[in-house]
Amino acid sequence: MARWKELSGGLDPVVVEFIGQLRKLKDASGLSVHRLAARTGYSASSWERYLSGRLLPPAAAVEALAAVTCTDTGADTDTARLMALHAAAVDSWHRDRPTGHTDANEDEEGGEPLPNLVPRPVTRRRLYLTAAGAAVAGALIAVAAMTEVDSGASAGSPRTAAVAHPIAYACTYVRRHGSWYAGNSDTSSDALEVDMSGPEVAELQCLLQRAGISPGGVDGNFGPLTESAVISAQKRYHLDVDGQVGPHTWAALRG
């Protein structure tokens, strides 16, 4: 399965640790951003911002995510410790913002806007805050881990690496054993959803394109246009419509 995109290098380590915990909870829930939005009351676009590090979520959104994960997985998530990490992230987030800064990108549901991402020198206080944030994160109750399944691929396969720079993908269609392939990945089972990247996503985009459903280009990034194309394909092939790609959607597109 493709991994999350790397966060901006300008974010404070405490904020990065907090967003990492959000991503683990989201993965453990097994929900797409659209289903997560329906369960928490915060829009899918807001969750995309929260999970990509473009916006810090309000406390209520964090509590809602923890509650959903606990309900769906039975994991005993320590919400109090998670909220303590959130508070540390909020403190760091505000501390990094310039005095007199006017927020131009406030979220419609109360998230904290992204500060100016200017690298700062390492100070004793920063080292202390980073260590404190890591200590809080280490005390969180472990949630269910998502196991990456890579049938036939080696441990160093590029399919498990985050995409740091744009990669030029091509669609080279070939028909083998009754199935279509586009030359980027042979998978027929990898689960894909919004905010993932890699050759599997490029393969998906090529197959959507071959089916006459535009994903907005073949760049290996699962964004809103690709999600919309997946939904259109699922409707066409009478599949469950959730905007996520699993074995049934792969089979329909390769058929």
Side-chain angles (χ1 to χ4, degrees), residues 1-5 26-27 191-198 201 220-223:
M1 181 183 294
R3 290 180 176 175
W4 290 96
K5 290 182 180 178
K26 192 270 184 187
D27 285 345
L192 301 177
E193 61 181 50
V194 169
D195 214 23
M196 289 183 171
S197 301
V201 177
N221 295 313
F222 200 135

Side-chain angles (χ1 to χ4, degrees), residues 114-189:
L114 185 69
N116 288 352
L117 300 180
V118 179
R120 295 169 293 130
V122 176
T123 64
R124 287 179 180 274
R125 186 182 182 188
R126 283 199 68 200
L127 289 173
Y128 171 78
L129 289 171
T130 299
V136 172
L140 294 174
I141 300 299
V143 296
M146 297 293 288
T147 302
E148 293 184 357
V149 178
D150 187 1
S151 56
S154 66
S157 172
R159 68 193 301 277
T160 62
V163 177
H165 301 287
I167 297 176
Y169 291 103
C171 300
T172 306
Y173 299 109
V174 61
R175 184 85 163 169
R176 298 200 307 266
H177 307 296
S179 297
W180 284 102
Y181 296 88
N184 296 297
S185 172
D186 289 345
T187 183
S188 292
S189 60

